[in-house]
Amino acid sequence: MRELIDADRLPAQPRCTAEKLAAVRRGLVPLAAWAVSARPRISVLADAQDCPCGILGYLSWHDVRTGLVCWVYAREDPPALRALISHALAALAYCPRIEAFVGASPGPLGPGGLPRTRRGATHDALLQSGFTGRRCGSYLHRVLPAEPPPAKLVADVFPCDFPPGHRLIIREAAEPVAEAVVSVGADRTATVYWIETLSTRRRRGLGHKLLAQALALLAEQGATEVALVVIDDAPHPTPDSQAASRLFESFGFTLVDQLWTYQHRHPRGTRSSACPAA
């Protein structure tokens, strides 16, 4: 099953391990940026030789009638993808709304949204199954040099439990004005989960200094490549999104793919009013 997931792995996306997959099955890892109140379900599609040819993760909540297709992998085989998505729709038929590939930070089970170009068969299968899609962000990647240039130490660094990594904070007069959260995986891939500057402190170079220190820290910890997701679901670029793009481009980040998210609504009057037992 892990081979199916890793077959569609993006640059700098960590590999799926048995431990991480087991944690998801126990419901210990949020598959989207929400608190999980119901155990995730994983379904595996097998071929005639009983070999796995597709895997699907989905969940629902007991108190909110919304379903979520977290991820689906089938080596971009259209019949397998349609079968898996149909299975999820049937299992979540009591939900008036079903979302798929809702944005989250990059992890071993996906980059947060669906990479629209690289996962074109999955995109098509979702649309053919009644989902509508929209762009939600961009996946960026950069190779880290073996000996990064020294960075000015402007931020305090603290360990972070979730995600496991480090938080960097720039303070002015004891007030936090800029923050980043970064992490290095066991396979030397790294992720910038978060970088933000207070709106009143922007256009002063704090983001540039913070990112420089964050990337130097990741390289010192053995990372060889790093990824980040930029949320850019607005129909038109904003000044803040343009500034973020210029910042990441100045550090050598390049676009890997646009990320998409999807939604499916049952026609009025056709859904079942019954919910499965908790």
Side-chain angles (χ1 to χ4, degrees), residues 1-8 16 75:
M1 291 188 292
R2 300 197 308 273
E3 291 179 1
L4 285 169
I5 296 171
D6 285 340
D8 291 311
C16 181
R75 292 192 173 90

Side-chain angles (χ1 to χ4, degrees), residues 17 45 132 167 202 207 253 256 265:
T17 65
L45 179 68
T132 58
R167 176 175 280 108
R202 292 174 184 169
F253 281 90
V256 175
R265 290 184 180 272

Side-chain angles (χ1 to χ4, degrees), residues 31-34 68 100-105 111-114 136 229 231 259-261:
L31 298 183
W34 306 338
L68 176 62
F101 294 92
V102 175
S105 299
L114 180 77
C136 64
V229 169
I231 304 300
L259 301 178
W260 279 49
T261 187

Side-chain angles (χ1 to χ4, degrees), residues 29-72:
V29 178
L31 298 183
W34 306 338
V36 177
S37 58
R39 176 173 294 181
R41 286 169 279 179
I42 296 177
S43 297
V44 178
L45 179 68
D47 59 19
Q49 287 73 42
D50 203 30
C51 295
C53 60
I55 184 171
L56 164 78
Y58 61 100
L59 60 86
S60 61
W61 289 262
H62 300 305
D63 53 347
V64 180
R65 294 178 65 192
T66 298
L68 176 62
V69 176
C70 306
W71 36 266
V72 56

Side-chain angles (χ1 to χ4, degrees), residues 64-115:
V64 180
R65 294 178 65 192
T66 298
L68 176 62
V69 176
C70 306
W71 36 266
V72 56
Y73 294 100
R75 292 192 173 90
E76 290 300 274
D77 178 59
L81 290 166
R82 289 194 295 268
L84 289 164
I85 295 169
S86 295
H87 174 77
L89 290 176
L92 300 171
Y94 63 92
C95 297
R97 185 179 67 191
I98 302 172
E99 297 181 340
F101 294 92
V102 175
S105 299
L109 296 175
L114 180 77

Side-chain angles (χ1 to χ4, degrees), residues 142-149 182-184 188-190 211-226:
R142 180 199 162 171
V143 174
L144 292 173
E147 296 183 4
V182 299
S183 177
V184 179
R188 305 178 73 184
T189 61
L211 186 56
Q213 183 176 341
L215 295 180
L217 174 65
L218 293 173
E220 290 170 4
Q221 294 177 338
T224 58
E225 54 183 339
V226 59

Side-chain angles (χ1 to χ4, degrees), residues 72-182:
V72 56
Y73 294 100
R75 292 192 173 90
E76 290 300 274
D77 178 59
L81 290 166
R82 289 194 295 268
L84 289 164
I85 295 169
S86 295
H87 174 77
L89 290 176
L92 300 171
Y94 63 92
C95 297
R97 185 179 67 191
I98 302 172
E99 297 181 340
F101 294 92
V102 175
S105 299
L109 296 175
L114 180 77
R116 168 66 180 84
T117 301
R118 295 183 176 225
R119 301 286 306 279
T122 302
H123 170 83
D124 292 342
L126 286 163
L127 297 187
Q128 293 164 6
S129 301
F131 284 86
T132 58
R134 62 178 178 84
R135 191 188 67 176
C136 64
S138 302
Y139 187 93
L140 307 183
H141 169 261
R142 180 199 162 171
V143 174
L144 292 173
E147 296 183 4
K152 185 177 180 180
L153 302 182
V154 296
D156 298 320
V157 181
F158 306 92
C160 182
D161 293 330
F162 187 83
H166 288 86
R167 176 175 280 108
L168 296 86
I169 301 176
I170 296 178
R171 303 177 188 272
E172 292 182 353
E175 178 189 7
V177 295
E179 180 182 33
V181 177
V182 299

